[in-house]
Amino acid sequence: MTPTDRSRLIYQVYTALFDAYGPQGWWPADTPFEVIVGAILTQNTAWKNVRRAIDNLKAEGLLQPEAILRTDEDHLRRCIRPSGYYNQKTKRLLTFCRYVAEQWHGDLEAFLGQEMGALRRELLSLNGIGPETADSIVLYAAHRPSFVVDAYTHRVFSRHGWVAEEVSYEELRNYFMDCLEPDVYLFQELHALIVRVGHEHCRRKASCPGCPLEPFLVE
């Protein structure tokens, strides 16, 4: 499939999902740092659990990097406990906050404002931040056009035969990045719409009847 054909297909998928579901307005957060916290906490858990953890942090005044660094580590663990893997995620939050404090003098805006490739590389250099988390932060916190792929993206696009089952994260990311205009709004909405159809139809056991992408299935 040529890049032009791939671009046409992706826009057709986007249109079908947008017509079915409308704008998603994802990522729900009041500040860039809240996006970052959510991106770290959402690893291996459902968003409803992350929302509870973020609400706990908000109630305790802990949705600022300096506040997290000042608080007792056990208290931080208790706050984020609903998100699961809370010992591991506490370390990851602290690692991120310390990095910004030490390497960027606590200036989160400057950290997020750097060139997209440099920002992504720095994020990936931090322990516990993988490609999906890094791209979520770049796209939703820094508002730079770095496409986010996740399990739903892989499932939807491989089940329809558009990518190979064994496609890697970077290959799947480039499947979008190489043929689409770098549009932050498009990337955010398309990612969110794929997650939506994944939740509703493209689960571990597919439920294709009524799916907006059912017409794209090849017999």
Side-chain angles (χ1 to χ4, degrees):
M1 186 182 293
T2 68
T4 299
D5 290 338
R6 200 186 330 147
S7 174
R8 186 180 299 114
L9 169 66
I10 293 170
Y11 277 107
Q12 288 173 344
V13 168
Y14 172 75
T15 299
L17 294 176
F18 193 91
D19 288 348
Y21 299 131
Q24 300 299 289
W26 194 257
W27 191 292
D30 294 329
T31 65
F33 185 63
E34 186 176 335
V35 172
I36 293 165
V37 171
I40 292 171
L41 296 185
T42 200
Q43 297 171 5
N44 302 306
T45 194
W47 181 256
K48 63 180 181 181
N49 300 326
V50 176
R51 185 73 266 168
R52 290 169 56 203
I54 288 176
D55 287 344
N56 289 344
L57 292 171
K58 192 171 291 188
E60 296 295 321
L62 295 177
L63 275 180
Q64 294 180 339
E66 57 271 21
I68 283 182
L69 291 176
R70 284 197 305 265
T71 197
D72 177 75
E73 196 167 324
D74 287 335
H75 181 53
L76 182 58
R77 286 193 192 94
R78 288 192 295 273
C79 287
I80 70 169
R81 190 182 184 96
S83 68
Y85 301 94
Y86 52 90
N87 289 322
Q88 187 180 75
K89 291 176 181 179
T90 294
K91 292 178 181 177
R92 291 174 181 177
L93 282 176
L94 289 170
T95 294
F96 177 83
C97 293
R98 287 189 188 115
Y99 182 84
V100 173
E102 294 169 3
Q103 302 299 320
W104 288 84
H105 308 289
D107 192 339
L108 182 63
E109 184 176 353
F111 172 72
L112 293 175
Q114 61 183 308
E115 184 270 328
M116 185 175 79
L119 173 60
R120 189 174 191 262
R121 286 191 294 273
E122 279 198 55
L123 287 165
L124 289 173
S125 74
L126 300 179
N127 184 46
I129 294 186
E132 183 182 343
T133 302
D135 287 322
S136 295
I137 292 170
V138 173
L139 181 61
Y140 293 102
H143 299 286
R144 303 297 180 86
S146 186
F147 196 80
V148 181
V149 302
D150 55 22
Y152 290 123
T153 319
H154 179 272
R155 196 178 292 164
V156 169
F157 277 73
S158 63
R159 282 178 173 174
H160 285 84
W162 299 325
V163 299
E165 176 68 27
E166 63 274 12
V167 66
S168 70
Y169 182 96
E170 293 299 328
E171 288 170 337
L172 187 51
R173 176 177 177 267
N174 289 335
Y175 180 92
F176 295 89
M177 297 283 290
D178 288 349
C179 70
L180 298 178
E181 290 296 319
D183 184 319
V184 170
Y185 177 80
L186 171 66
F187 284 12
Q188 290 178 346
E189 284 294 335
L190 180 55
H191 169 241
L193 287 164
I194 291 171
V195 171
R196 175 78 178 269
V197 78
H199 274 301
E200 297 196 4
H201 292 280
C202 213
R203 300 184 289 269
R204 292 184 187 277
K205 182 177 180 181
S207 176
C208 297
C211 174
L213 300 183
E214 186 180 6
F216 291 86
L217 287 172
V218 177
E219 296 295 336

